[in-house]
Amino acid sequence: MLHRHRVLFFTLIILSSALFAQPFEFFPGAKYDPKIPTLKSSVGHDHAERITMHHETENYLFALDQASPLLQVVRYAETWEGRALYYLIVASEANQARVAEIKAGMQKLADPRKISASEAEALIKALPAITWLTYGVHGNEISSTDAALLLAYHLVAAQNDSLTQKILNNSVVIIDPMENPDGRDRYVTFLRQMQARWPDPDPNAAEHNELWPSGRSNHYMFDMNRDWFANTQPETRGRTRIYLEWFPQVFVDLHEMGFNQTYYFAPPALPYNPNMTAAQHEWLSRYGQNNAKWFDRFRFDYFTREVYDSFYPGYGEGWPIFQGAIGMTYEQAGADGLVIRREDKTLLRYRDGVQHHFISSLSTAEMTASNREAMLRYFYEYRRSAIEEGARELVKEYIIPPGNDPSRAARLAALLMQQGLEVKRAEAAFTNTQARDYIERKLQTKNFPAGTFIVPLAQPGKRLLKTLMDRHTDMNPEFIKEQTLRAEKRQGDEIYDVTGWSLPLLHDVECYAAELVSNVRARVLTESPKPQGLVGEQAHLGYLIAWGKNNVAAALADLLRQGVRVHTTDKEIAQQGSVYPRGSLLIKVKDNPDDLHERMKKLSSDYGVEVTSVNNSWVTGGVNFGSAHVQYVEPPRLAMAFT
């Protein structure tokens, strides 16, 4: 009996090994150029045989770049942990030779104010359309990156294939293969540690139960699929910057969801953001229908119009929508490893997810290439109609005065500029007689000082601007009615995620929605604004910085990072004709670096803080510098405990 059990055990091992060693055709019948390196020849495993890590992805991208004139690799940013972020430009040799011309043409179409209708028509006739495919913003949603590598290989290596030729000739495909390398490598490391010699399909196996911290977020545990307009992370800032270089017509963010699901693609679920256009809804349906055609061909299951809405503008598909793209989320059931057993007793393999994402990516690129001129004309009309729409809106502009904390106002203005939105700064004081404040919502006559920021709605990015700046964004009435009924039945709501994000309220700045265009000379800003700092002469005793503004907190953090000794007071200090409130900073010359004055000058410039030089410690009110109320600021030391 023991002998028979051993034979059975080793037979199962052999069968299991064979199961994952069998070659698999992701695109049956495709013939590939042997001169183009495969993933296996570059990193040692084939597509979906293992989960590809960041350094392996780098190796393969460089190999493809060297081997094919149809592909360029561009490094665009760096993660917190120092890993490079890349995107691929995949196009015909003719289009590769005019990448700079294509980008310039897209930027012209994106601002119809700067070209005539005839110039726009000439660009529409001449330019390829842009499909942007981005993969793996959540590091533990793993199949998308390997699908991206497979797509890149297929587009440059497939031989005698009319579909790839159409895609290469009529479009440029931008592939961002790994949005979150830090999270992905964290997850894949966990997975490789937890797996046995052969993958275990049991959902209870250790490999399918990820430990904290998961690979979903980036290094600082930030979900970058909520960061597209907040722009807080270096990865996101890199992506928004290059997006505004290309202005794609189609943008897809590829994800994973629970392993018992199937596949999701557009059209999205309710609620729709009201700033989406009818043309966008039509194109979303058309792209969905093309995906459905391909999925039917391969007998892949899918669903649409459920779960995933397009309401919040901070998603990877949401922000591009309001720039004029057909923005879409694709969700594949994730195997949480190489194979998992689903509730219906079928096995979901990693290669299934890779193939599904690969086919949906190819379908999307096909749809864009097949409708090249229509997509370019749609995009131009989207941006042109936004200007007209902005001119007709009740609200004509948003007015952001410097207020009590100019650093906050400047930060909001800079953030809007990072989205490609036009911001002006008034060169003189002015009055607007129809300004409605954000808090009490009163229409009033309001005087504004020079330096006030003015953001007009009559601009190509109007729909994004309105989405970000409005105090409230309406949901579809039928959706609200359904959620009310669900609440009465004690059922959960169906909103996917975020419901509120008004930037003036988030930044806590004074802001007005003006129903009249301000009559003032205002300059369009080309560089992000920041408050001007001020620092006195080299001090004998120290430097004072009044507390109370956001930029002072940032400056304090910088000083502590530098190892500069800082004191703070819990009572006010009156000195040299000024009153410094509780929390103000005192940086003494004593016990600090010899180059303290140079550091304070740089601090003032970097953060726009006013630094007062102190040569006489006598105070006219409040506490003295040597009081027990003036205390050393201990640099914080953070601990994170987890089990």
Side-chain angles (χ1 to χ4, degrees), residues 54 58 61 73-80 82-88 135-136 176-182 224 233-239 241-242:
H54 178 260
E58 276 186 318
L61 297 184
V73 177
V74 181
R75 177 172 175 156
Y76 70 86
E78 187 176 280
T79 71
W80 285 113
R83 293 181 177 88
L85 291 162
Y86 303 96
Y87 73 88
L88 313 181
Y135 302 82
D176 185 346
M178 191 185 297
E179 297 177 84
N180 182 7
D182 292 352
M224 294 185 292
Q233 303 301 298
E235 299 95 331
T236 314
R237 290 194 292 270
R239 275 189 283 278
R241 176 182 55 80
I242 59 171

Side-chain angles (χ1 to χ4, degrees), residues 502-522:
S502 176
L503 288 187
L505 299 179
L506 279 173
H507 282 72
D508 191 22
V509 298
E510 187 180 356
C511 187
Y512 297 83
E515 298 173 12
L516 177 72
V517 174
S518 298
N519 183 19
V520 62
R521 183 174 177 179

Side-chain angles (χ1 to χ4, degrees), residues 53 91 202 219 321 463 532:
M53 297 185 75
D202 189 332
H219 173 81
I321 283 175
R463 296 180 180 104
Q532 294 298 307

